[in-house]
Amino acid sequence: MASKTAKTSTVPFADAPINASLTAEQKIDLLRTMVRIRRFEQTSLKYYHDGHIGGFLHLYIGQESVAVGSISLLGENDHVITAYRDHGHALAVGMGMDECMAELFGKKTGCSKGKGGSMHYFAPDKNYWGGHGIVGGQTPLGAGLAFALKYKGLKGCCLCYLGDGAINQGAFHEALNLAALWDLPVIYIIENNGYSMGTSQARSSAFPKEGLAARAEGYNMAWKKIDGVSLYEIRAGVQEAVARAHEESKPTMLEIMTYRHKGHSVADANAEKYRTKEEIQKYMNEHDPIEFWKNVLIGEGVITEEDYKAINKEAGAEAEASAAFAIKSPYPDESEIFDDIYWEVDNNTEAGRTGRHFFHG
Amino acid sequence: MPREITYREALREGLDEELARDENVCIIGEEVAQYNGAYKVTEGLWKKWGDKRVIDAPISEAGFIGMGIGASMLGIRPVMELMFYSFAYVAFDQMMNNAATCRYMSGGLTNCPIVVRGPANGGTNVGATHSHTPENIFANMPGLKVVTPSNPYDAKGLIKSAIRDNDPVYFMESTVLYGMTGLVPSNDELEGGELIVPIGKARVSREGSDLTLLAHGRAVVTSLAAAEILGAQHGISVEVVDLRSIRPLDEETIMASVRKTHRAIYVEENKPFCGVGAQISSMIMEQAFDDLDAPVLRITSADAPAFYSPPIEKLQLPTADEIVARALTIC
């Protein structure tokens, strides 16, 4: 790489303490993680079109900075839960491409043994609690993870992600009330890509002129709106919320402005109908977080264009290798249908052996 | 000596003992703490255990039940009270999607040791919205357990098992039973020093040889009353089997009784369509067809929303007289 020590950056938020302390290697790692997410998803899209992947595939392309920037701030007692557009968060917490890709292919080697699919990645060993398919359904769970941390007296927080389409679900409002009422260290991160599936924000949400997150005022909760193109801005904004959670056990609502380059899911046939091609192109050209961060790092002398190409190539190869791994992995066995339903049955405890648990056949 | 205590007190003892046993056990629900519980099940527990362990929740079932599910994934063992089990419908996504399926969708990496308890019964003149009996609905979902104690002994023993269980247990009580008294041994007279009733074991509440009445929850009490009448007035020897839990289900005890008496009626306060009795009678037909001397009957609540008017609502629920009349058609 070009340099191990960064030049002084003039990019906004570069001088925030949490960013000023980043080493060159850490900055490159952030870039690498974003690129790996993108190449993973581009590869998954290819295999989806080839018929290897079933069901839904909600791509995160264009939003990578949100997961990577925020998760880069987390420590031992900090937890993550998100919705169905979950591949980026999974790779950001350190899940491997192999188990993630194999899950998409429905294989036994998948992170959920082929039982969850694209929307339901989990890695509790990495403090990652899914991967949830119902819009907004994860938001009370996020409050619960924070409740558990507080109950146990641990200094930690839960980052609970949701889309801008989830903010109108009742469960979310109930979770906000509980979080504020009970001072739960949860940070709700609204990834605002402007569309709840095919319905624009203007057609789906009533909100103050300051933005969606300003609804937090109604719950007497701190909030902030963040431009999601820049990892520096995301890290600076989220860090304030993490500190609030850690030091004061208080929740925060963040709204991070972002954009998905693709449709709501791969099955979204109208991705270029409810949005103009010009709009999509504008965001791809001017609001691509990877392109932005690459240029920041080149500007700081941390990497060269050649370094970036190498990172990209390496990530592409890793993604292809994960697809090869997925292809050669076996499908789950039919006998696994009744595993992982009851903990007590799986662990062959006395409770698990008492009474009939399954009624098939 | 066994003491005569109420169903309500038995539940409270079970909760209190589990709060003492495991500091990760906490009680969360509407009015459970300072108000002492809408039905006084948790009376005194907040005073004894304090704000951390016994927590008043706002009226926000989807929120606090979902929060409890999330907390349970990190090792807390919340006992959530629904003031009425009818309110489960407000939290349906959390209870059906999140609690029941997270383990499966994570390939077994997570589990939710949560208890959601509260009264699930009609018959108290509170109208249809507060009179739902969703045991069949939740038992329909693999990943969930549904427990329905019919007496004080089981209420205490089963709530303790439910709290220790590492899967979600939906524990359905009855406001009509809260004041029911029954013998419950004190801990010092029990081997192991405490009362535990395993989930998944039915109880033969009354032995008989001519007819089996299968029931859960308060319908067990009604069935026992009918059994007395059938014996005293008609010379019919009736066995009553209390399922105690719908899922897991003690199939052996059910089938053994049916094979002995050759006649069975399922009695429940649940609705008929795809009710618990529908499942059980289908199983009996498949497994004990040759042992039957008569068709399996089902006696359920009337297939209508709960009627407010007190004298009419009474007629909607199974009565001992109805059980007697139907039994006489097959005996």
Side-chain angles (χ1 to χ4, degrees):
Chain A
M1 300 294 162
S3 168
K4 292 290 174 202
T5 51
K7 293 176 194 169
T8 307
S9 182
T10 55
V11 180
F13 300 95
D15 56 353
I18 194 73
N19 292 325
S21 64
L22 282 172
T23 65
E25 198 49 52
Q26 286 170 327
K27 291 178 183 181
I28 295 166
D29 276 344
L30 292 170
L31 177 65
R32 185 179 290 117
T33 305
M34 288 199 292
V35 171
R36 287 176 66 241
I37 293 168
R38 183 159 301 181
R39 297 308 301 261
F40 173 86
E41 292 205 308
Q42 287 169 336
T43 304
S44 72
L45 179 60
K46 188 176 84 176
Y47 285 94
Y48 185 93
H49 287 314
D50 286 351
H52 287 274
I53 297 172
F56 294 135
L57 188 70
H58 302 89
L59 297 177
Y60 199 56
I61 293 172
Q63 302 186 203
E64 296 91 340
S65 53
V66 180
V68 172
S70 51
I71 288 170
S72 68
L73 300 163
L74 302 185
E76 187 187 357
N77 289 318
D78 298 318
H79 293 256
V80 172
I81 187 166
T82 188
Y84 46 83
R85 199 179 303 284
D86 62 349
H87 310 154
H89 311 78
L91 294 177
V93 300
M95 290 175 73
M97 278 197 200
D98 280 0
E99 69 255 34
C100 289
M101 191 68 83
E103 187 63 29
L104 298 181
F105 281 60
K107 297 300 183 76
K108 187 184 173 79
T109 53
C111 47
S112 295
K113 304 181 193 164
K115 286 177 167 156
S118 165
M119 301 189 286
H120 309 112
Y121 286 2
F122 284 80
D125 63 323
K126 297 177 174 63
N127 293 359
Y128 182 56
W129 298 95
H132 293 268
I134 302 296
V135 173
Q138 79 283 9
T139 55
L141 302 184
L145 292 164
F147 176 91
L149 291 168
K150 186 172 182 180
Y151 191 93
K152 292 178 173 181
L154 297 169
K155 189 184 209 176
C157 71
C158 175
L159 296 189
C160 180
Y161 300 83
L162 60 150
D164 50 296
I167 66 157
N168 301 317
Q169 286 280 37
F172 178 49
H173 289 268
E174 297 195 24
L176 290 176
N177 182 57
L178 294 175
L181 182 70
W182 290 339
D183 288 335
L184 302 179
V186 58
I187 299 163
Y188 287 106
I189 297 182
I190 303 165
E191 302 197 46
N192 186 352
N193 63 27
Y195 295 87
S196 55
M197 195 168 150
T199 303
S200 70
Q201 193 174 297
R203 293 200 300 121
S204 60
S205 297
F207 56 94
K209 62 181 183 306
E210 294 85 0
L212 305 179
R215 283 186 181 178
E217 299 263 353
Y219 297 101
N220 195 26
M221 185 188 293
W223 62 277
K224 193 182 213 53
K225 191 170 176 178
I226 296 168
D227 184 347
V229 77
S230 166
L231 281 182
Y232 279 148
E233 183 167 349
I234 292 170
R235 282 171 48 88
V238 177
Q239 178 56 32
E240 279 179 28
V242 170
R244 185 176 295 118
H246 284 182
E247 305 307 326
E248 303 168 46
S249 189
K250 293 273 193 190
T252 303
M253 177 142 60
L254 300 174
E255 176 183 5
I256 303 186
M257 306 307 291
T258 185
Y259 198 80
R260 60 169 151 80
H261 294 176
K262 304 289 184 184
H264 166 69
S265 78
V266 178
D268 177 1
N270 295 329
E272 294 185 355
K273 289 182 182 165
Y274 56 82
R275 313 183 297 185
T276 63
K277 283 184 182 171
E278 292 72 28
E279 177 186 302
I280 298 168
Q281 202 55 51
K282 183 172 159 30
Y283 274 95
M284 288 174 73
N285 293 343
E286 299 170 17
H287 204 276
D288 183 327
I290 294 181
E291 199 61 21
F292 181 90
W293 188 244
K294 178 190 88 173
N295 290 330
V296 167
L297 298 195
I298 288 174
E300 291 181 5
V302 172
I303 62 163
T304 64
E305 187 73 43
E306 288 308 308
D307 293 331
Y308 172 71
K309 284 183 183 160
I311 288 169
N312 204 12
K313 193 174 168 193
E314 196 183 335
E318 186 188 359
E320 271 304 332
S322 73
F325 169 80
I327 288 168
K328 73 168 193 280
S329 291
Y331 281 106
D333 193 83
E334 195 182 338
S335 66
E336 293 168 52
I337 289 173
F338 296 105
D339 296 339
D340 307 319
I341 298 172
Y342 293 98
W343 187 96
E344 301 287 356
V345 173
D346 294 335
N347 288 279
N348 194 25
T349 62
E350 196 175 334
R353 292 190 302 270
T354 305
R356 181 170 174 182
H357 286 73
F358 304 110
F359 295 84
H360 155 265
Chain B
M1 286 291 289
R3 306 140 309 144
E4 186 98 356
I5 61 173
T6 63
Y7 186 102
R8 174 189 287 113
E9 288 164 341
L11 280 171
R12 188 186 307 140
E13 276 191 6
L15 293 168
D16 186 37
E17 288 176 19
E18 293 306 296
L19 283 163
R21 185 186 61 81
D22 181 350
E23 64 182 351
N24 283 325
V25 174
C26 58
I27 293 174
I28 305 173
E30 293 153 9
E31 311 292 4
V32 296
Q34 299 191 27
Y35 192 89
N36 274 321
Y39 286 101
K40 302 289 177 256
V41 171
T42 56
E43 187 168 24
L45 295 180
W46 172 69
K47 196 171 177 193
K48 178 171 179 183
W49 294 101
D51 290 332
K52 182 181 176 184
R53 310 290 302 282
V54 184
I55 303 161
D56 278 325
I59 299 173
S60 182
E61 288 85 4
F64 75 75
I65 298 282
M67 193 205 76
I69 294 165
S72 77
M73 296 197 305
L74 260 189
I76 306 300
R77 305 185 85 88
V79 183
M80 319 297 292
E81 177 172 305
L82 286 169
M83 192 184 292
F84 288 82
Y85 230 101
S86 294
F87 304 163
Y89 298 178
V90 182
F92 204 65
D93 177 48
Q94 297 300 322
M95 293 177 72
M96 278 296 232
N97 265 321
N98 288 343
T101 67
C102 273
R103 178 167 183 77
Y104 204 60
M105 294 193 305
S106 66
L109 295 175
T110 62
N111 65 303
C112 298
I114 190 172
V115 175
V116 182
R117 54 157 287 272
N121 61 285
T124 57
N125 325 131
V126 289
T129 54
H130 288 56
S131 302
H132 291 292
T133 52
E135 55 269 40
N136 60 328
I137 294 173
F138 288 112
N140 184 257
M141 190 67 207
L144 301 178
K145 297 186 177 184
V146 176
V147 177
T148 54
S150 72
N151 59 73
Y153 182 100
D154 287 349
K156 180 173 179 183
L158 285 169
I159 193 68
K160 286 167 68 75
S161 288
I163 293 169
R164 296 178 192 195
D165 201 283
N166 287 301
D167 295 305
V169 179
Y170 294 173
F171 196 92
M172 301 188 192
E173 304 158 9
S174 167
T175 54
V176 182
L177 295 180
Y178 282 145
M180 171 199 204
T181 55
L183 291 178
V184 178
S186 55
N187 286 341
D188 55 18
E189 61 187 306
L190 288 164
E191 200 178 324
E194 59 181 347
L195 177 63
I196 296 284
V197 173
I199 296 170
K201 270 205 183 312
R203 173 216 291 271
V204 178
S205 302
R206 182 184 199 278
E207 295 205 11
S209 55
D210 300 330
L211 166 70
T212 299
L213 295 178
L214 301 155
H216 67 271
R218 187 186 164 222
V220 174
V221 178
T222 318
S223 297
L224 286 168
E228 289 300 319
I229 298 168
L230 284 163
Q233 298 179 14
H234 302 281
I236 297 169
S237 168
V238 178
E239 181 146 303
V240 177
V241 175
D242 178 353
L243 266 60
R244 297 205 281 204
S245 63
I246 311 298
R247 186 172 190 144
L249 183 74
D250 184 352
E251 183 173 55
E252 287 80 12
T253 300
I254 294 169
M255 296 306 160
S257 180
V258 172
R259 290 194 175 104
K260 182 169 85 170
T261 65
H262 309 293
R263 289 177 179 82
I265 301 176
Y266 200 94
V267 186
E268 61 186 318
E269 297 192 354
N270 210 184
K271 296 281 186 275
F273 195 95
C274 297
V276 177
Q279 171 68 27
I280 306 294
S281 54
S282 163
M283 292 169 70
I284 294 171
M285 186 272 290
E286 287 180 30
Q287 297 179 39
F289 185 76
D290 290 338
D291 293 292
L292 289 173
D293 285 345
V296 178
L297 301 183
R298 297 190 292 138
I299 299 173
T300 68
S301 285
D303 198 14
F307 210 120
Y308 158 66
S309 182
I312 308 298
E313 192 192 10
K314 261 189 204 143
L315 304 176
Q316 288 191 301
L317 299 173
T319 61
D321 289 345
E322 184 185 3
I323 297 169
V324 169
R326 296 290 301 281
L328 292 175
T329 69
I330 57 167
C331 289

